[in-house]
Amino acid sequence: MITELLDDLRAESRVLDDLVAPLDDWTVPTPAEGWTIANQISHLRWTDRVAALAARDPEAFAEALRGASPDAVDEGAREPVTLAQWRAGRVELAEALAALPPGVKMPWFGPPMSATSMATARLMETWAHGQDVADALGVTREPTHRLRHVAHIAVRTFGWSFVVNGLTAPRVPVRVELVAPDGEAWTWGPEDAEDRITGPALDFCLLATQRRHRDDLDVTVVGEAAGAWAPIAQAFAGAPGAGRAPRRRP
């Protein structure tokens, strides 16, 4: 499974690479407040580098974590970065994850993670930050089967979305039914659950990565638990995201 995941991560990275490689100016602002295209790439490169360290040398990662600033992630986005550095970091991370023995978990800022979990998380982040870059450039990306990884981690972080907002997660199951880019049905949760979220996979992923406001998405939410989750869904780690304002209607 890790081989296929890493292939998908490489493919997702290439999509973003194709957007930024021709640019002479990475100081273009993105929809993420205060972040330019350079900040988006720097953040990805910083996280790839730290994840590779965690996979290869847990003790060195623990030492780096002890000395890290509380704002280390944001500071990582401010480091100067080149296209070559980001590309090299992607290779380094893929090699480190591929070499991690099955069943072994690597330390991380939260709970330890398997190689497959980390690869999925990196793909989700690459796609989400790639959306910011695409929006900054006015580019529409073609949705692919790789959205399934993003949707999966979004569903898996149901409880986290409440915890990070200081709330208690509902005990009621939520069914998620999505239409994949090729028309296939992707589902999570009990089929008979009364609470559910349905819609295109792209829209759900934009919601859960907080790249679009719910009002701008074709997502149907039914039930109290699903209704409580939708506004705070957060597939990424860290503090509660501010989300995005609804887009202005013509």
Side-chain angles (χ1 to χ4, degrees):
M1 183 177 182
I2 187 62
T3 300
E4 290 79 7
L5 261 173
L6 291 175
D7 285 345
D8 281 349
L9 176 56
R10 292 186 187 98
E12 197 60 51
S13 297
R14 283 194 298 270
V15 171
L16 178 52
D17 195 306
D18 288 344
L19 289 180
V20 300
L23 300 178
D24 294 323
D25 183 9
W26 281 15
T27 65
V28 177
T30 69
E33 187 176 356
W35 281 39
T36 63
I37 289 175
N39 296 140
Q40 300 282 354
I41 301 302
S42 182
H43 170 72
L44 291 173
R45 183 240 179 180
W46 181 88
T47 312
D48 286 346
R49 186 178 60 203
V50 174
L53 176 66
R56 285 178 167 161
D57 193 339
E59 292 185 2
F61 171 79
E63 182 62 30
L65 188 61
R66 279 192 289 271
S69 159
D71 300 318
V73 174
D74 188 63
E75 291 170 1
R78 308 299 169 181
E79 294 180 355
V81 65
T82 65
L83 184 61
Q85 288 172 329
W86 177 44
R87 287 172 173 170
R90 284 148 45 188
V91 172
E92 180 184 7
L93 175 62
E95 290 176 348
L97 294 181
L100 200 67
V104 173
K105 292 192 174 184
M106 54 187 283
W108 197 235
F109 294 96
M113 299 179 72
S114 66
T116 55
S117 293
M118 177 57 73
T120 304
R122 298 310 305 131
L123 191 154
M124 178 274 296
E125 283 236 350
T126 301
W127 180 83
H129 289 287
Q131 185 64 49
D132 290 336
V133 173
D135 287 341
L137 299 175
V139 174
T140 299
R141 299 183 299 173
E142 191 70 24
T144 73
H145 71 278
R146 296 188 296 276
L147 286 176
R148 182 162 193 146
H149 301 302
V150 181
H152 178 72
I153 203 168
V155 172
R156 289 289 301 272
T157 51
F158 171 82
W160 159 255
S161 298
F162 288 90
V163 170
V164 75
N165 281 279
L167 303 171
T168 301
R171 295 184 179 274
V172 177
V174 176
R175 172 81 165 180
V176 176
E177 297 181 347
L178 306 177
V179 180
D182 65 357
E184 182 185 356
W186 294 344
T187 63
W188 292 263
E191 190 173 357
D192 61 351
E194 294 184 4
D195 284 62
R196 53 189 59 223
I197 293 180
T198 61
L202 174 61
D203 288 42
F204 177 72
C205 291
L206 289 168
L207 176 72
T209 57
Q210 299 186 4
R211 262 53 189 184
R212 292 287 187 277
H213 191 276
R214 179 182 164 187
D215 292 350
D216 297 320
L217 299 171
D218 183 17
V219 174
T220 300
V221 180
V222 177
E224 187 175 343
W229 179 32
I232 61 171
Q234 180 171 324
F236 51 90
R244 302 285 161 83
R247 294 191 167 191
R248 292 183 178 179
R249 304 297 183 184

